[in-house]
Amino acid sequence: TMQLQLSNTAFWDVDMNTFNDTHQDFIIARVFMHGNLDDIRAVIHHYKKEEIKQALQKYRGLDKHTIAFAQVLGCIE
């Protein structure tokens, strides 16, 4: 399990106890798309900026609102 404390908002369909750092790209993308502000803050504090940027750029399912929000936060260009 991981140290990162997240709400169930973004992960209604998965067991959070099974997550570890090998799932980081999925966790980052999911939180940016479906998490609340506290979840997003937790991800930004837990992961390096470059890790967040790479995860968001890799994920094909990001909608334009999530991309714009991530840009405003300085997580992607």
Side-chain angles (χ1 to χ4, degrees), residues 7-19:
S7 72
N8 291 332
T9 307
F11 301 100
W12 66 92
D13 58 343
V14 291
D15 180 2
M16 288 295 289
N17 296 317
T18 63
F19 280 137

Side-chain angles (χ1 to χ4, degrees), residues 15-73:
D15 180 2
M16 288 295 289
N17 296 317
T18 63
F19 280 137
N20 57 49
D21 284 326
T22 64
H23 300 99
Q24 108 178 11
D25 289 352
F26 172 76
I27 292 167
I28 292 168
R30 253 310 173 88
V31 165
F32 269 83
M33 289 193 321
H34 301 292
N36 60 38
L37 282 175
D38 287 336
D39 293 338
I40 292 170
R41 278 190 203 104
V43 162
I44 289 171
H45 285 92
H46 184 79
Y47 294 109
K48 296 181 185 97
K49 186 176 180 177
E50 195 56 36
E51 292 172 325
I52 294 171
K53 180 180 174 181
Q54 285 177 1
L56 293 176
Q57 287 175 334
K58 258 192 252 177
Y59 193 76
R60 297 281 172 241
L62 287 187
D63 61 87
K64 63 182 180 182
H65 301 291
T66 303
I67 293 168
F69 186 60
Q71 288 171 331
V72 167
L73 293 175

